[in-house]
Amino acid sequence: MLLTADSPLSILTWLYMRTGKTGSAEDLLRRLGRGDIGLKHEAFHTLQPWRAATHLRELLMACGILPAIDKQICLFEGWLTGRLASVSDPEHRQIVRRFATWEVLPKLRARADRRPLTPGSRKYAADQVKRAASFLEWLAGHDRTLATCGQADIDLWHVEHKEHERNTIRPFLLWCQHVKLTRRFRLPSPPTRRAAPLSQNERLDLLGQLLTDDSLPLRSRVAGIIVLLYAQPCTRVVRLTVDDVVHENDQVRLRLGEPPSPVPAPFAELLLAWIDNRDNMNTGTNHGSRWIFPGRRAGQPLHPFALSELINNIGVPTTASRTAAIRQQVLEMPAPVVADALGYHQVTTTKLAAEAGGTWSRYAPGDHTRSPAGWTPRGTGDS
């Protein structure tokens, strides 16, 4: 990978950045060659600086030297090692380690088996671990332990803390009850909030601007249109590959679910133009990348937060735009059809359709080209 890069200068720049200092690319490669750093993922958990170590780890996975693991799990495991070391109370540290090992990490890995994790998933998992440690400290400050914690203590903690803290402590408290570290108690249900969508006129105006304004960056325009047309969150947009763009018989379709969604001609031209002129393709990290939006890290797409910022910077609010797009979709088509085509869950689109006042509530999903068994058109059966 390093020897076949289109831009050797970028490789040399990376190799000689901070040369002679501990943790530089040169230092890490030398220690790897001498065997001071083992060729296993655990060896990278404590390396500093963590960004340089993470970059090298991703290069090794991209080359097949290390087994491929979801990037977000790699980052979480490295973060967890340092976080556990910062918990001063040995008993607290042991409880938090158990929670992270047997509850948080298995759920992350199970989700990663289904689809790549998002940075938001990793951050939420880390917040759960941090909140577990802080809750144990709070109990100790009130002369309580998990064994003596009661409903009154749970109620008091919820009164004293903000909504995000209340939401992220919930998995830990449920786990404590399940493994019998605490008695049973009631927990408040987390609230559900949605951003207000754009109006349909505002959405169409933004689409028109992105389709025609050549002064805007092409990458941002293409990503923004995908959000506005197909109601895709940035976490899904960055996972799209060039193989998801189906170009047959002068028709371009984008595979977000099944069947692939048609791409209107004006957007198809922009999409194909961007694929032919993508950024971050000239270094050893993403040479020959299949991502529609390649990142700077080996084998990785652009970070969703970075893409979201690029879209917001051209005046397209990502969350409000996505909400407006999905609401319009469920008004124009049956919710199950929208769910299959755009990669949503049918329960989600059905709820959105009901909220938007859709008229497809009696639509039955499935193959509508076949007649039910035993059914014959009127007038053709036996008289």
Side-chain angles (χ1 to χ4, degrees):
M1 177 179 288
L2 299 180
L3 297 178
T4 60
D6 291 340
S7 177
L9 182 60
S10 65
I11 302 298
L12 293 174
T13 301
W14 173 67
L15 285 173
Y16 291 106
M17 187 179 297
R18 300 178 64 250
T19 184
K21 296 183 178 179
T22 301
S24 65
E26 176 194 31
D27 172 62
L28 291 175
L29 287 172
R30 289 185 184 279
R31 290 162 61 191
L32 193 65
R34 293 196 302 262
D36 297 338
I37 300 174
L39 272 176
K40 55 184 180 179
H41 285 285
E42 294 76 12
F44 288 79
H45 289 170
T46 56
L47 293 179
Q48 294 296 331
W50 69 269
R51 291 184 186 277
T54 299
H55 183 59
L56 178 58
R57 187 183 194 180
E58 289 169 352
L59 280 173
L60 294 173
M61 285 193 290
C63 294
I65 297 175
L66 278 178
I69 296 179
D70 189 285
K71 174 186 177 181
Q72 303 305 325
I73 290 181
C74 291
L75 292 174
F76 178 78
E77 288 178 335
W79 172 87
L80 180 62
T81 300
R83 182 64 188 182
L84 290 174
S86 69
V87 179
S88 56
D89 187 295
E91 184 176 350
H92 291 179
R93 188 185 314 119
Q94 189 261 351
I95 292 172
V96 175
R97 179 181 285 110
R98 284 178 58 191
F99 172 61
T101 303
W102 301 110
E103 179 69 10
V104 180
L105 265 171
K107 288 186 175 180
L108 277 180
R109 288 176 178 138
R111 292 183 65 182
D113 288 340
R114 296 191 297 269
R115 63 177 60 182
L117 295 176
T118 66
S121 299
R122 170 179 54 83
K123 184 179 183 301
Y124 182 66
D127 286 344
Q128 291 178 47
V129 174
K130 289 189 288 187
R131 204 62 57 215
S134 66
F135 179 73
L136 293 173
E137 291 179 8
W138 182 88
L139 284 179
H142 289 74
D143 296 322
R144 293 284 191 275
T145 65
L146 288 176
T148 61
C149 175
Q151 186 66 51
D153 300 304
I154 297 298
D155 294 342
L156 178 59
W157 192 93
H158 278 77
V159 168
E160 292 181 354
H161 292 79
K162 297 178 181 179
E163 181 179 313
H164 178 69
E165 296 168 313
R166 295 195 295 267
N167 291 341
T168 50
I169 195 60
R170 184 180 177 85
F172 176 66
L173 295 178
L174 291 173
W175 174 79
C176 286
Q177 293 179 76
H178 178 71
V179 298
K180 297 181 170 51
L181 290 176
T182 63
R183 66 189 73 176
R184 305 291 299 181
F185 35 68
R186 298 182 305 277
L187 297 175
S189 300
T192 302
R193 303 184 186 278
R194 290 195 182 99
L198 301 173
S199 69
Q200 177 65 351
N201 287 337
E202 290 173 320
R203 173 173 167 259
L204 292 177
D205 287 343
L206 285 173
L207 276 170
Q209 179 186 3
L210 297 188
L211 287 169
T212 59
D213 191 347
D214 293 334
S215 66
L216 298 175
L218 183 56
R219 173 172 58 182
S220 304
R221 293 169 66 191
V222 169
I225 293 172
I226 293 175
V227 173
L228 284 162
L229 270 184
Y230 304 108
Q232 297 297 296
C234 289
T235 51
R236 291 187 196 168
V237 176
V238 298
R239 306 302 304 189
L240 292 172
T241 70
V242 295
D243 302 309
D244 293 318
V245 179
V246 183
H247 193 183
E248 296 175 345
N249 301 324
D250 297 328
Q251 172 67 49
V252 178
R253 292 176 295 162
L254 187 60
R255 183 176 288 108
L256 305 167
E258 291 298 336
S261 299
V263 177
F267 177 44
E269 295 177 7
L270 292 179
L271 178 59
L272 296 177
W274 166 248
I275 289 175
D276 291 337
N277 297 278
R278 288 170 289 162
D279 293 339
N280 300 328
M281 296 286 290
N282 294 324
T283 67
T285 58
N286 258 333
H287 181 71
S289 174
R290 306 298 292 173
W291 301 115
I292 291 181
F293 300 100
R296 296 182 179 178
R297 294 291 186 87
Q300 298 295 329
L302 193 66
H303 196 290
F305 294 165
L307 187 64
S308 178
E309 185 176 0
L310 290 173
I311 298 173
N312 285 318
N313 286 344
I314 60 173
V316 179
T318 53
T319 303
S321 299
R322 179 165 62 92
T323 305
I326 192 64
R327 283 171 65 92
Q328 190 62 33
Q329 293 279 1
V330 296
L331 285 173
E332 296 176 353
M333 292 183 290
V337 174
V338 175
D340 291 342
L342 301 185
Y344 277 76
H345 196 285
Q346 290 190 9
V347 172
T348 301
T349 54
T350 300
K351 287 182 178 179
L352 289 170
E355 292 173 3
T359 58
W360 293 95
S361 60
R362 295 183 181 274
Y363 178 86
D367 187 351
H368 290 255
T369 63
R370 296 184 301 172
S371 300
W375 179 87
T376 56
R378 182 176 297 177
T380 62
D382 297 334
S383 56

